[in-house]
Amino acid sequence: MTSSSEQTDVVVIGSGFGGAIPAYHLAAGGAKVTVLERGPWLQSEEFEHDYLLGSSYTRAFDFVVGDGMSVLGGNCVGGGSVVYFAAMPRAPRFVFERHGSIGRRMWPGEITRDTLDPWYDRVTEALPVATQTWDDVSYAGGLWAAACNHSGRTANPAPVAVDNDRCVNCNFMMAGCRFDAKRSLLTNYLPAALAHGAEIRPLHEVQRLERTDDGGYRVHYQVVDGEDYRVHTGGGVIEAKIVVVAAGAGATPVILQRSEPSLGELPHAVGRYFSGNGERLNTAVINEERVREVLGLSREDGLVYAANHIGKGPTVANWDKLDGSLPEYERYSLEQLYFPPGLGTILAQTHGGEEPRWFGAAKKEMLSKWASWLTIFLMTEDDNEGVFGPPPPTGNAFRISQQMLGRGPLSYKPTANTRRGWALADADCKAILEKDGLATVEPWTNDVVGAYTVHPLASCRIGDDPATSALTPGHELRGHPGIFVTDGSAVPGALTVNPAMTIAALAERAVPGIVRAARERGVDVSYGAPAPDGSTSGRRGVLKLSPVAGH
């Protein structure tokens, strides 16, 4: 195995929202930036319309099974933005006042919805994010909206980072967008970072960090084979003055834990307080005749929600319970979601009967009605009960298959608070869709891979209290100056909505502090780049950097 060593100003680990945003701003400000991404660099024409082994679907995903919790994340240049469904709501105001499992405010005192709004505005401009109209929603979304209305509830088209003029309604969003309609980071921050000289290296998996004698850091990586992710084909070391860790909430704490022998003691909260964003999924088997009679809706060609649905992923959400006057753990959103074959077909449970209900004759009958399934995504408030055990020898998991599947060190034992939130959201979803016989509804089982999340959060969270937060409010790792964490692991807890918008806004907010730290370490870098396309209207309330002596 070959090894090499080199130097740069900034190493960014990961190229999702938490990595791409700092990479762009630092490169635009004049720093030499190297981005290390463990996954492949896929082009638009490589995003395939199937879910076969070896396709873009398995190449671009990372599915890690833990003890009581499984995490599905992105594994490619662009990270989760390539495989997400592009729903971009802002977190409700009450989220920033949550106490959660520590019994006092989790978020740093300086961060509220009001102070984060200018950074939300910048992300909205940069991607950009659009508010859908009812003309943009899919039939499945319209059905969910009609069912909500029939039950006396409200429904809202979700804000999305999708160019609806380019979208062809193929619904292969989870395998990457062939048409560049989904505004992933491949269409904005990353090409802008490249234009300013940043270097992006795919299939480079960071293993650990260590200090250099001058106060910088060595980043040790291994090169991953492009077809079999269990195989390493080389390795090397890069020295940098600043390291931005943005490998995702399922990998960032593992890299840091593996680095502890060489870095020194880590904050207690590294690898603790993990949140699955309180997520849960329900499957409704629609009674098409009742929907026609009660709601007056039908799709006469028979392709109602079938296999690769006509339409998009999430298009309509019910936000009635996003009410700050409700007690904690009773607040949640219910979002219509398309989930492709695979986990959705395995984990869906049949209606009624004895446990287990995820396989058997009744499940076979349920599968025959696949064309009339509707999936509802529940995002609740959990108790941050996830804990990472000792890290595996390499990577974030023990690789089981050549792509996608691994066994990881995360342990998650849901508390009574978390279970109560799930139960309330399950019951609400059931009440809406089973009213007047519109459908039968059941949650996905937790018996097979435990609970599950596509939005892992909080495993290295920001906060004011050193005992319960790994990072300062400015995203710097406590006790380790020059290391910053800007991905979903920095978010203090569950958000009750899709978190990409908040992760991105926090990353934007963290950049001035990272630039300041880089300047203090002798990097000739400035802050103040516009949005990737040159826009500046979203830049109100921007922090100004004070001059650093000699720069």
Side-chain angles (χ1 to χ4, degrees), residues 91-109 111-113 273-279 321-333 379-385 412 415-422 455 457-458 461-465 468 491-497 499 502:
R93 187 171 297 273
F94 66 77
V95 159
F96 302 97
E97 306 301 326
R98 283 198 64 207
H99 285 199
S101 60
I102 62 174
R104 58 187 180 280
R105 195 177 189 272
M106 294 191 296
W107 283 76
I111 300 180
T112 65
R113 172 58 188 269
Y273 303 109
F274 173 92
S275 166
N277 202 33
E279 290 175 4
K321 297 297 184 179
L322 298 186
D323 180 350
S325 68
L326 292 172
E328 200 167 357
Y329 308 104
E330 293 187 14
R331 304 172 297 204
Y332 51 82
S333 60
M379 288 168 277
T380 71
E381 293 172 309
D382 68 3
D383 242 344
N384 289 81
E385 52 266 74
Y412 188 89
T415 65
N417 284 333
T418 297
R419 292 182 182 277
R420 181 164 169 266
W422 287 345
H455 297 140
L457 303 169
R461 63 187 185 179
I462 54 174
D464 290 327
D465 180 8
T468 58
V491 177
L495 299 176
T496 67
V497 295
T502 299

Side-chain angles (χ1 to χ4, degrees), residues 68-81:
M69 171 66 76
S70 293
V71 177
L72 184 65
N75 181 59
C76 56
V77 173
S81 78

Side-chain angles (χ1 to χ4, degrees), residues 17 95 117 145 183 202 209-210 278 297 326 335 388 403 411 443 495 505:
F17 286 106
V95 159
D117 263 334
R183 287 159 171 156
L209 314 177
E210 67 174 335
L297 296 176
L326 292 172
E335 185 177 84
F388 283 81
Q403 294 172 13
S411 175
L495 299 176

